[in-house]
């Protein structure tokens, strides 16, 4: 090869390298423009926000969780502020009047929750994930399944679970040592709300595993769960109706059968006026097996997290506020002097227990943030909201706003006396959401928590110990929970 040919080859290689580098630079510039061009949308509608980073937006702002970050965000940028995760735009609100507009007044425009990037079966078929007409259909079918008459049928099952729970607590009480009540207090309750065959490590082992398993293994676990539920459905269908276990799964199976004879409490009803394309009232609908599996997965995951956290936080607050616990113990003793077994009707006679649970949910709402998606451009009071924006309701910040809750860091159950609540803004307290898309299982959850706490305090009381963390540190990525568990002592009465 001559000198000329060598120079030509070097020139060609140089040109190829230059062209490749130029192409890569152009691609990176276009990609950066594509990513960052969306970062002007919040400013265009007058929403203040932290400066976003290319590609990730404000993701690092929430690296320690959302509980404290929400407080910092609202403190720095106002009660209507925002942020970006990737290209997705969020508008954070914490004012009750704006919340009312979104959850109730303009529900038709905000009926969907945020569409998650990744969601797998069976959870994809749960009422939390469903959108538009699919959600309307499932919600309409499920609503009668959660009326007072239906959930009252589950009280014997909850009582059975409480007996097992009390036996386990007795062991801890007799040992005299501190223990993590979060790991113990509700596991038996939730597993007994399903038929025995579903006790296969759900939820105590499987739920943490689902968070760390690779996709292939997670799909295998999800497939196993769906298969298990479908097998149980087949078994229940073969049983005599009088022999079927009255658990959560049976509520779902009963909902498959259309009926017009169910009497619902007024608060259980979902108005068709909320659904612009609602199905005809007389059209018969039923749940598919996949939809039943979806609700079962929601109950195990959401029920496990929220009920466990509420009972654990309630135990902690009573242990650290002995004067409140003593007042509650007097009410418990009075109750059991009149009744042998708690049920849905007689637990309504416990106003201070109601206040204790309500204040626990104010201070530690498990669902401390939730979202709605704007279907079209609109105005929420004086704030413009573009189509596609994700509205994030900062329940945690709302519950600690001194404008509505004086001395919010203090445990004061009397805030929820009927006279005080008549003066309170109805959208200043949202542990279960509100509006047509509020938590459908609220009555069942509160009944379970009340009966469990009532049965525990009949025999035991909570005490602090050197291992008790004061103040309690929380984790807040998906739901709210204790960072390092809740260590207390339980002593016989």
């Amino acid at each position: 090869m001559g000198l000329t040919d060598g120079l030509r080859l070097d020139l060609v290689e140089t040109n190829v390298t230059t062209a490749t580098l130029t192409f890569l630079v152009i691609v990176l510039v276009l990609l950066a423009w594509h990513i960052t061009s969306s970062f002007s949308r919040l400013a265009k509608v007058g929403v203040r926000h932290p400066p976003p980073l290319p590609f990730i937006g404000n993701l690092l702002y929430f690296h320690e969780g959302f509980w404290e970050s929400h407080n910092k965000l609202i403190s720095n940028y106002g009660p209507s502020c925002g942020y970006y995760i990737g290209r997705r735009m969020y508008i954070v609100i914490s004012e009750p009047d704006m919340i009312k507009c979104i959850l109730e007044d303009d529900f038709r425009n905000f009926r969907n929750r945020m569409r998650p990037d990744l969601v797998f079966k069976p959870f994809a078929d749960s009422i939390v994930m469903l959108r538009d007409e699919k959600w309307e259909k499932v919600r309409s079918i499920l609503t009668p399944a959660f009326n007072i008459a239906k959930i009252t049928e589950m009280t014997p099952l909850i009582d059975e679970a409480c007996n097992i729970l009390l036996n386990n607590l007795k062991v801890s009480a007799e040992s005299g040592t501190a223990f993590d009540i979060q790991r113990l207090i509700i596991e038996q309750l939730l597993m007994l709300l399903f038929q025995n065959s579903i006790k296969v490590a759900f939820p105590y082992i499987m739920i943490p595993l689902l968070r760390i398993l690779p996709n292939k293994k997670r799909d295998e676990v999800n497939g196993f769960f769906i298969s298990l539920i479908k097998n149980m459905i087949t078994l229940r269908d073969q049983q005599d109706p009088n022999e079927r276990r009255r658990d959560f799964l049976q509520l779902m199976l009963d909902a498959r059968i259309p009926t017009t004879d169910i009497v619902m409490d007024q608060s259980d009803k979902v108005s068709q006026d909320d659904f612009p394309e609602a199905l005809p009232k007389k059209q018969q609908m039923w749940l598919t097996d996949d939809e039943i599996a979806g609700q079962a997965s929601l109950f195990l995951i959401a029920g496990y997290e929220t009920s466990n956290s509420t009972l654990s936080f309630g135990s902690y607050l009573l242990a650290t506020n002995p004067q409140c616990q003593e007042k509650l113990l007097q009410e418990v003793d009075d109750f059991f002097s009149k009744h042998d077994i708690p049920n849905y009707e007689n637990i309504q006679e416990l106003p201070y227990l109601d206040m204790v649970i309500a204040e626990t949910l104010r201070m530690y709402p498990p669902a401390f943030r939730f979202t709605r998606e704007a279907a079209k451009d609109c105005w929420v009071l004086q704030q413009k909201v573009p189509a596609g924006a994700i509205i994030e309701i900062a329940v945690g910040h709302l519950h600690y706003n001194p404008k509505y809750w004086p001395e919010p860091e203090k445990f004061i159950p009397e805030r929820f006396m009927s006279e005080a609540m008549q003066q309170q803004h109805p959208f200043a307290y949202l542990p279960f959401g509100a509006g047509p898309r509020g938590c459908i299982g609220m009555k069942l959850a509160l009944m379970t928590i009340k009966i469990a706490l009532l049965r525990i305090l009949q025999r035991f009381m909570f005490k602090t110990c050197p291992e008790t963390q004061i103040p309690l540190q929380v984790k807040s990525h998906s739901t709210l929970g204790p960072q390092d568990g809740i260590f207390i002592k339980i002593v016989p009465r």
Side-chain angles (χ1 to χ4, degrees):
M1 180 183 295
L3 178 60
T4 302
D5 292 336
L7 290 173
R8 287 176 179 173
L9 183 60
D10 289 343
L11 182 60
V12 169
E13 291 178 350
T14 302
N15 289 340
V16 169
T17 302
T18 302
T20 301
L21 291 174
T22 302
F23 176 76
L24 290 175
V25 169
I26 292 173
V27 169
L28 290 174
V29 169
L30 289 175
L31 183 61
W33 174 84
H34 175 71
I35 294 295
T36 58
S37 62
S38 63
F39 291 162
S40 62
R41 289 179 295 165
L42 286 174
K44 287 179 180 178
V45 294
V47 174
R48 300 175 62 209
H49 60 89
L53 296 174
F55 303 105
I56 63 172
N58 300 114
L59 183 62
L60 297 181
Y61 196 90
F62 301 97
H63 70 282
E64 293 183 351
F66 284 83
W67 183 262
E68 290 298 335
S69 299
H70 267 166
N71 293 334
K72 180 173 67 172
L73 184 72
I74 294 170
S75 175
N76 291 339
Y77 298 97
S80 295
C81 52
Y83 64 91
Y84 296 94
I85 299 295
R87 289 172 53 85
R88 181 172 280 172
M89 169 179 61
Y90 294 77
I91 298 177
V92 179
I93 64 170
S94 58
E95 287 297 321
D97 288 335
M98 293 187 72
I99 295 172
K100 181 178 182 296
C101 288
I102 290 165
L103 299 186
E104 188 174 88
D105 298 344
D106 197 14
F107 171 75
R108 295 187 181 190
N109 193 41
F110 293 98
R111 62 177 174 175
N112 288 326
R113 297 178 186 269
M114 178 185 72
R115 190 191 302 273
D117 293 326
L118 293 174
V119 62
F120 305 94
K121 282 182 173 290
F123 196 64
D125 292 313
S126 71
I127 195 171
V128 171
M129 294 291 107
L130 295 178
R131 298 166 64 88
D132 301 316
E133 288 77 17
K134 287 186 178 181
W135 170 78
E136 293 168 12
K137 170 208 163 186
V138 173
R139 176 81 185 209
S140 297
I141 296 172
L142 288 183
T143 296
F146 284 92
N147 67 17
I148 293 172
K150 288 291 185 180
I151 66 174
T152 300
E153 295 178 2
M154 296 184 66
T155 52
L157 195 60
I158 296 172
D159 195 59
E160 176 188 347
C162 286
N163 291 334
I164 298 176
L165 175 62
L166 291 174
N167 288 335
N168 288 331
L169 290 175
K170 181 181 178 182
V171 174
S172 299
E174 290 176 347
S175 71
T177 59
F179 69 100
D180 182 3
I181 198 165
Q182 187 192 25
R183 293 177 62 90
L184 175 65
I185 200 169
I186 198 64
E187 176 188 351
Q188 292 84 6
L189 284 176
L190 286 167
M191 293 205 298
L192 272 173
L193 291 177
F194 275 83
Q195 203 263 354
N196 288 339
S197 61
I198 205 169
K199 289 186 183 180
V200 285
F202 255 100
Y204 185 60
I205 296 174
M206 299 311 300
I207 290 173
L209 280 179
L210 286 174
R211 296 181 179 136
I212 61 175
L213 284 174
N215 290 345
K216 184 177 179 180
K217 293 295 183 182
R218 181 175 55 207
D219 291 343
E220 291 177 2
V221 172
N222 289 338
F224 166 75
F225 180 73
I226 294 171
S227 176
L228 178 63
I229 291 293
K230 290 183 177 180
N231 289 338
M232 292 174 62
I233 292 172
T234 301
L235 178 62
R236 294 289 179 92
D237 287 341
Q238 294 171 352
Q239 289 179 321
D240 184 277
N242 295 325
E243 296 177 356
R244 293 169 184 166
R245 187 180 177 91
R246 304 308 302 171
D247 55 14
F248 179 82
L249 179 61
Q250 195 58 49
L251 289 183
M252 300 297 98
L253 297 182
D254 290 345
R256 295 181 304 174
I257 305 172
T259 178
T260 57
D261 298 329
I262 295 175
V263 177
M264 288 188 291
D265 182 80
Q266 185 63 32
S267 60
D268 291 325
K269 295 180 180 178
V270 180
S271 173
Q272 275 200 319
D273 294 336
D274 296 319
F275 310 141
E277 300 89 16
L279 293 167
K281 294 181 179 180
K282 294 184 179 180
Q283 180 174 334
Q284 292 188 339
M285 301 172 291
W286 53 85
L287 295 177
T288 66
D289 288 354
D290 282 343
E291 288 167 343
I292 292 173
Q295 313 325 309
S297 68
L298 172 66
F299 179 80
L300 281 174
I301 296 172
Y304 171 80
E305 295 279 4
T306 58
S307 298
N308 190 357
S309 294
T310 302
L311 279 171
S312 301
F313 284 129
S315 304
Y316 171 83
L317 289 168
L318 290 173
T320 53
N321 294 272
Q323 72 284 359
C324 295
Q325 182 171 205
E326 185 58 36
K327 185 174 181 178
L328 180 56
L329 289 174
Q330 292 177 8
E331 184 177 78
V332 169
D333 292 342
D334 290 341
F335 175 87
F336 282 107
S337 69
K338 304 172 187 175
H339 306 285
D340 294 327
I341 300 175
N343 56 46
Y344 186 89
E345 289 76 21
N346 60 33
I347 60 175
Q348 310 308 318
E349 304 171 11
L350 296 159
Y352 196 68
L353 177 61
D354 286 337
M355 288 185 255
V356 166
I357 293 173
E359 178 71 343
T360 300
L361 288 167
R362 181 196 67 83
M363 296 186 71
Y364 298 105
F368 68 98
R369 52 188 277 262
F370 60 87
T371 63
R372 295 291 187 268
E373 183 179 312
K376 58 184 180 181
D377 293 348
C378 66
W379 287 85
V380 177
L381 300 184
Q382 286 77 44
Q383 176 62 58
K384 185 177 181 181
V385 176
I390 304 301
I391 303 297
E392 184 169 85
I393 297 172
V395 175
H397 185 273
L398 172 67
H399 285 189
Y400 279 78
N401 188 335
K403 177 180 177 181
Y404 305 104
W405 308 102
E407 300 182 287
E409 301 292 338
K410 292 185 178 180
F411 179 66
I412 307 174
E414 288 76 12
R415 301 179 198 273
F416 290 90
M417 294 180 66
S418 58
E419 297 84 359
M421 290 306 294
Q422 288 175 4
Q423 307 300 319
Q424 184 60 275
H425 195 296
F427 283 79
Y429 178 68
L430 297 171
F432 295 99
R437 196 144 189 172
C439 177
I440 195 172
M442 178 183 69
K443 289 185 175 68
L444 177 59
L446 289 175
M447 182 181 73
T448 303
I449 293 168
K450 288 172 71 172
I451 292 177
L453 196 54
L454 185 63
R455 290 288 309 279
I456 293 169
L457 292 174
Q458 182 186 15
R459 293 178 53 183
F460 305 101
M461 61 188 303
F462 305 112
K463 296 281 189 181
T464 58
C465 57
E467 294 86 352
T468 305
Q469 192 179 70
I470 303 176
L472 188 66
Q473 301 301 307
V474 297
K475 58 182 179 181
S476 58
H477 291 286
S478 53
T479 59
L480 190 70
Q483 181 72 48
D484 305 304
I486 295 178
F487 287 87
I488 59 174
K489 281 186 178 181
I490 189 167
V491 297
R493 294 186 60 196

